[in-house]
Amino acid sequence: MHPSPLRIEPIPGYTPAIGRLVGMLTYARSTTLAAVEGLTLAELDHLHDAQSNSIGALLAHIVVVERSYQVMTFEDRPLSPDEHAQWSTALKLGTEGRRTLRGRSLDHYLDELRSVRHLTLESLAARDDAWLERSVSPAPRLNVHWAWFHVAEDEINHRGQIRWLRTRLPGRRVDDQVT
Amino acid sequence: MHPSPLRIEPIPGYTPAIGRLVGMLTYARSTTLAAVEGLTLAELDHLHDAQSNSIGALLAHIVVVERSYQVMTFEDRPLSPDEHAQWSTALKLGTEGRRTLRGRSLDHYLDELRSVRHLTLESLAARDDAWLERSVSPAPRLNVHWAWFHVAEDEINHRGQIRWLRTRLPGRRVDDQVT
């Protein structure tokens, strides 16, 4: 992977405000990928304590959060009952997540992250800055720009937890500094 | 505190891209404040394990990260030796942070957060979108927009950790869902 540039600025192929947002989404994703690099299936499934979400479950969560905001902002509708049924465990995590979000390799999560992001970027490239400022139809207190900022923001929140959890995996070294 | 609006859009008093950035900084800060609400001094100083940073130390870190980017982007210079000496423990955290970043009440941290943010907003209001796109003089690989996105991004990363740590404080309930 190319290192993500440390610049937020308009990007060719997107309108200016969308380009800056894409820079933030891309930077956030690059740090998530760095945080999970090389993790084994056992490490992805490891539960730090009885209430912890595994790193794998957090990756599944990052994927479905992005999918959910795609539906709400690109398709202008709330999740369908089917989507809700399929995604709610990863959206809510907790007990049910600990039971079922397991047994997937890093490649599985990386594929999912890549595929959901591909659709996000393709869809953002087809829209403009006026669209970005609109209210989200199924949740009109939010505007679309906040919704996509929140996708990055929620990912960064969980990446902070992933970094913390990673250094405490059995056999991994605790990095005694900022994580 | 007023709930932070779930909209990213231009804000009166700032040029458009700076206004959107201020919306992100403000939203991120509102979630940090919510995450530490009501914590006692003992809770702020609590160490979850031998390598953990306390929640108080993470708040001190959030303050000095913002101060450092103020110096680099508003004053166009690297940190002075004095600033470096004064802030490096909170910037680096780890062993020295565990030893010295203690004994401060929530009000102390809230005052520091408020005061550093006041200067940030005042300084951003006096600048424009062309400034936001410039390279950071003492670190020209970064541009100023990335630098201020990173201030929010680093805060959100640690807020994710603060939420995780808060639910595991002695006597606090573990929230068995997404944190």
Side-chain angles (χ1 to χ4, degrees):
Chain A
M1 196 178 67
H2 293 282
S4 194
L6 305 180
R7 308 186 75 84
I8 301 296
E9 57 199 352
I11 297 178
Y14 303 95
T15 56
I18 291 186
R20 294 184 185 102
L21 173 68
V22 166
M24 296 178 195
L25 287 162
T26 303
Y27 177 77
R29 178 59 45 88
S30 74
T31 63
T32 302
L33 297 180
V36 299
E37 197 180 353
L39 293 182
T40 65
L41 193 146
E43 290 177 322
L44 290 164
D45 283 354
H46 179 73
L47 297 171
H48 180 79
D49 63 26
Q51 271 71 36
S52 279
N53 299 302
S54 70
I55 293 176
L58 293 173
L59 291 176
H61 176 75
I62 289 169
V63 168
V64 295
V65 167
E66 184 160 349
R67 281 200 209 292
S68 302
Y69 280 97
Q70 287 178 341
V71 168
M72 291 194 286
T73 66
F74 299 144
E75 304 186 34
D76 285 323
R77 61 173 179 84
L79 300 192
S80 69
D82 272 7
E83 287 159 348
H84 194 266
Q86 209 183 328
W87 300 343
S88 72
T89 299
L91 284 172
K92 291 184 192 159
L93 297 175
T95 308
E96 187 61 11
R98 274 187 291 280
R99 205 176 61 77
T100 61
L101 301 171
R102 314 180 55 73
R104 303 277 168 79
S105 70
L106 183 58
D107 278 346
H108 164 84
Y109 293 115
L110 296 182
D111 282 349
E112 295 241 299
L113 287 164
R114 223 179 342 252
S115 126
V116 66
R117 181 50 53 90
H118 180 79
L119 178 61
T120 297
L121 295 182
E122 198 175 64
S123 305
L124 288 175
R127 287 165 173 82
D128 65 18
D129 289 359
W131 169 84
L132 196 61
E133 231 161 87
R134 280 197 210 163
S135 293
V136 175
S137 314
R141 283 176 59 231
L142 331 181
N143 78 346
V144 172
H145 202 154
W146 186 87
W148 282 99
F149 163 66
H150 178 60
V151 169
E153 186 254 333
D154 193 67
E155 176 168 349
I156 294 160
N157 174 82
H158 294 300
R159 180 207 73 199
Q161 297 168 345
I162 289 171
R163 286 182 179 173
W164 195 95
L165 291 167
R166 179 185 178 120
T167 60
R168 285 159 178 87
L169 286 169
R172 295 246 177 206
R173 194 179 62 87
V174 169
D175 181 4
D176 186 28
Q177 293 268 326
V178 180
T179 48
Chain B
M1 194 180 65
H2 293 282
S4 192
L6 305 180
R7 308 187 76 82
I8 301 297
E9 56 199 353
I11 296 177
Y14 302 95
T15 55
I18 290 185
R20 295 184 184 102
L21 173 68
V22 166
M24 297 179 194
L25 287 162
T26 303
Y27 177 78
R29 178 58 46 87
S30 75
T31 63
T32 302
L33 297 180
V36 299
E37 197 181 352
L39 293 182
T40 64
L41 192 147
E43 290 177 323
L44 289 164
D45 283 354
H46 180 73
L47 297 172
H48 179 79
D49 63 26
Q51 271 71 36
S52 278
N53 298 303
S54 70
I55 294 177
L58 292 173
L59 291 176
H61 177 75
I62 289 169
V63 168
V64 294
V65 167
E66 185 160 347
R67 282 199 209 291
S68 302
Y69 281 96
Q70 287 178 340
V71 168
M72 290 193 287
T73 66
F74 299 144
E75 303 186 34
D76 286 322
R77 60 173 179 84
L79 301 192
S80 69
D82 272 6
E83 286 160 347
H84 194 266
Q86 208 182 331
W87 300 342
S88 74
T89 300
L91 283 172
K92 292 184 192 160
L93 297 174
T95 308
E96 186 62 13
R98 275 187 290 281
R99 205 176 62 77
T100 61
L101 300 171
R102 313 181 53 75
R104 302 277 167 80
S105 70
L106 184 57
D107 278 346
H108 163 84
Y109 292 115
L110 296 181
D111 282 349
E112 295 240 300
L113 287 164
R114 225 180 339 255
S115 127
V116 66
R117 181 52 50 93
H118 179 78
L119 177 61
T120 296
L121 296 182
E122 199 175 63
S123 305
L124 289 175
R127 286 166 173 82
D128 65 18
D129 289 359
W131 169 83
L132 196 62
E133 232 160 86
R134 279 197 212 163
S135 293
V136 175
S137 317
R141 284 177 58 229
L142 331 181
N143 78 346
V144 172
H145 201 155
W146 186 87
W148 283 99
F149 163 68
H150 178 60
V151 170
E153 186 255 332
D154 192 67
E155 176 167 350
I156 295 161
N157 174 83
H158 294 300
R159 179 207 74 199
Q161 297 168 343
I162 289 172
R163 286 183 179 173
W164 194 97
L165 292 167
R166 181 186 176 119
T167 61
R168 285 157 177 89
L169 286 169
R172 296 246 176 206
R173 193 180 63 86
V174 170
D175 181 3
D176 186 27
Q177 293 268 329
V178 181
T179 48

